[in-house]
Amino acid sequence: MTNPALAPTPVQRLISLDVVRGITIAFMIMVNNNGGSGSWGFMNHAKWNGLTPTDLVFPTFLFVVGASIVFAFDVRLARGATRSQLAWHTVRRTGILILLGIVVNGFPFFELAHLRIYGVLQRIAICYLVVGLFYLWDKRVSMKVAVLVAALVGYWILLRWVRVPGAGMPGRDVPFLDPDLNMVAWLDRHLMPGHLYENWTTHNLRDPEGLLSDIPAVATALLGLLAGLWLRGSKAVAAKTRGLAAACVALLALGYLWSVWFPLNKKLWTSSYVLVAAGWSLALLTLAYWAVEQQGWFKGRSKGWIWPWLVFGSNAIVAYMVSELLPGVLDNIVIHVDGRAKSLQVFLSAPIFAHIPNPGWAAFTYSASFSAVCFIPVWVLYRKRIFVKV
């Protein structure tokens, strides 16, 4: 008689992975709408080098994208789809994500002269395309590890040992990882002049989702893919949990060690940042996998704790789009109260959050409330069993 604990994981959605995706998108919405200058430090990105919990959100989502590729692609292959059909689907989905990202960047006025081309959805699209096609082309773990190492080491060489045109050698002529005088910023300024994110906020011309830093971002998705391959294997559930935990410790140790020479930096997506962020992503995935798949906490009455995360995770892109477009709508609807013009955003939020005396709690309450509002449309879709696939 076959021991079910040793059977390969069925080709289906992994509930714990959906839970991690839901937690990540909910926190992403919160930190992107963190309530402004009064928000607590952990609800904001590090200014440059360094790391806050907020800096872990985006790489965790990319990590989940990589892991999900294994299950999503294997399901379609098991249903009879060909590799060419899957490749075309991957390219089409990439194009849609890029277009949605440009819509987010331009909404509501679409000022083409300074429209930002890079973005969060664009980076997700590129990583999904590269890692998805790579998985279709070759499923060997050794190849994934080789490309991963090449991407991380190669990116370090580019930033540390390649002269920045017009500036000089990093670490000698200019400070290593100087905010403006680095290869990533230099390339983006020449490729997308006037179309970079930080044109609007500072005198610096750079973009946190620039072209060159897509290299280590792909490595983040590759690490997720490797985690997905591990979870699709034939080992017992408890052994898989132990393997995830061991990988978590190894990545954190290696990443923090490398950060002594190659600092953690989310805006440049440094190689040490890739390892540390993936380590914390694995920590979250390990906990979710242990609770859901090993302990069965999703069954019966205990299912309630994962329900909101499943709702968010089932339509993550919809939730993100709502969170990005809604502020533009609220800010540009003007109403007149007592002879004064106010945006609908201020009109709705001021009577509630302005009366909370502590700025941190006021900002956090706003952030959580905004996330709850974004939950409503995806909850409606979830109840109707509608799952939007771009």
Side-chain angles (χ1 to χ4, degrees), residues 3-73:
N3 184 353
L6 298 176
T9 303
V11 184
Q12 59 185 8
R13 296 183 73 90
L14 199 64
I15 295 176
S16 55
L17 198 58
D18 288 336
V19 169
V20 172
R21 183 188 299 107
I23 292 172
T24 304
I25 197 67
F27 193 40
M28 182 182 290
I29 291 171
M30 290 183 66
V31 299
N32 286 348
N33 302 273
N34 63 5
S37 58
S39 57
W40 293 317
F42 73 86
M43 294 291 289
N44 293 271
H45 291 290
K47 296 296 184 181
W48 189 242
N49 291 336
L51 193 69
T52 73
T54 294
D55 294 314
L56 299 174
V57 176
F58 190 14
T60 299
F61 194 86
L62 279 182
F63 185 92
V64 172
V65 168
S68 300
I69 284 173
V70 176
F71 294 90
F73 282 33

Side-chain angles (χ1 to χ4, degrees), residues 287-321:
L287 287 173
Y289 188 80
W290 174 81
V292 175
E293 315 298 344
Q294 185 171 334
Q295 299 298 316
W297 287 7
F298 70 96
K299 298 177 181 177
R301 293 182 178 179
S302 62
K303 186 177 181 179
W305 78 273
I306 70 170
W307 176 75
W309 315 125
L310 288 177
V311 173
F312 264 126
S314 64
N315 279 293
I317 297 299
V318 173
Y320 178 79
M321 290 294 295

Side-chain angles (χ1 to χ4, degrees), residues 190-207:
H190 284 75
L191 289 177
M192 299 286 180
H195 296 274
L196 303 180
Y197 177 77
E198 295 194 359
N199 285 349
W200 316 109
T201 56
T202 71
H203 67 282
N204 301 310
L205 299 177
R206 41 186 153 80
D207 198 294

Side-chain angles (χ1 to χ4, degrees), residues 25 28 32 58 61-62 65 90 93-106 116-129 207-209 214 217 266 269 315-325 390:
I25 197 67
M28 182 182 290
N32 286 348
F58 190 14
F61 194 86
L62 279 182
V65 168
T90 303
R93 193 178 190 191
T94 297
I96 293 173
L97 283 171
I98 290 174
L99 288 176
L100 290 176
I102 292 175
V103 169
V104 166
N105 290 348
R116 184 187 178 208
I117 306 301
Y118 300 133
V120 169
L121 290 179
Q122 292 89 321
R123 171 153 290 178
I124 293 172
I126 291 171
C127 293
Y128 173 74
L129 176 68
D207 198 294
E209 280 81 45
D214 280 332
K266 189 263 181 187
W269 213 279
N315 279 293
I317 297 299
V318 173
Y320 178 79
M321 290 294 295
V322 171
S323 73
E324 290 294 303
L325 300 181
V390 297

Side-chain angles (χ1 to χ4, degrees), residues 8 44 60 110 130 148 211 219 222 278-279 320 324 359 363-364 367 380 386:
N44 293 271
T60 299
F110 296 95
V130 173
L148 171 67
L211 181 64
L222 271 176
Y320 178 79
E324 290 294 303
F364 185 81
S367 180
V380 172
I386 298 173

Side-chain angles (χ1 to χ4, degrees), residues 240-281:
K240 291 179 181 179
T241 303
R242 290 193 296 270
L244 291 175
C248 164
V249 172
L251 287 176
L252 287 174
L254 184 58
Y256 279 118
L257 178 62
W258 200 358
S259 71
V260 175
W261 300 277
F262 197 11
L264 304 172
N265 189 301
K266 189 263 181 187
K267 292 185 178 182
L268 291 177
W269 213 279
T270 54
S271 302
S272 60
Y273 168 75
V274 170
L275 297 177
V276 169
W280 288 116
S281 300

Side-chain angles (χ1 to χ4, degrees), residues 146-162 212 215-216 258 262 271:
V147 172
L148 171 67
V149 172
L152 295 180
V153 174
Y155 189 63
W156 170 69
I157 291 172
L158 281 172
L159 266 62
R160 178 64 183 88
W161 300 107
V162 176
L212 200 59
I215 296 172
W258 200 358
F262 197 11
S271 302

